[in-house]
């Protein structure tokens, strides 16, 4: 489902809730382009968990393949230019 930013402004969140009974996600378009998406909180949390699991798997792979640096916090900040 797609609604315009103006529809959201004029019809409010109750309109969004009504649309979400028909679709799991509602896109908000601004000037004809999809700009935002509204998801049920359960779906958002599932996506965040999947993202974190992916990051952990990548970090484990980097560690196993030796792609890491051992350094002090001071050295790390210097390398980052902080």
């Amino acid at each position: 489902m797609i609604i315009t930013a103006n529809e959201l402004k004029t019809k409010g969140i109750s309109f969004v809730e009504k649309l979400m009974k028909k679709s799991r996600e509602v896109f908000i378009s601004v000037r004809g382009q999809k700009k935002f998406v509204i998801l049920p909180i359960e779906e958002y949390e599932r996506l965040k968990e999947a993202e974190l699991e992916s990051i952990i798997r990548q970090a484990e792979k980097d560690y196993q393949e030796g792609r890491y640096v051992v350094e002090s916090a001071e050295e790390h900040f210097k390398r980052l230019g902080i």
Side-chain angles (χ1 to χ4, degrees), residues 23-81:
S23 177
R24 245 178 106 66
E25 54 198 29
V26 175
F27 294 95
I28 301 170
S29 70
V30 178
R31 296 181 194 90
Q33 299 289 319
K34 289 180 187 174
K35 183 93 176 185
F36 304 99
V37 64
I38 301 172
L39 302 168
I41 193 68
E42 298 83 13
E43 182 66 11
Y44 171 79
E45 289 171 351
R46 187 190 66 75
L47 290 170
K48 290 301 289 180
E49 187 173 323
E51 179 183 33
L52 289 172
E53 287 175 6
S54 175
I55 291 167
I56 290 168
R57 280 193 302 277
Q58 184 61 50
E60 288 171 343
K61 182 179 177 190
D62 288 345
Y63 179 76
Q64 289 170 355
E65 295 177 3
R67 289 192 303 260
Y68 62 92
V69 176
V70 177
E71 61 191 1
S72 69
E74 189 175 294
E75 292 167 328
H76 180 69
F77 289 135
K78 185 176 182 179
R79 185 167 54 87
L80 294 176

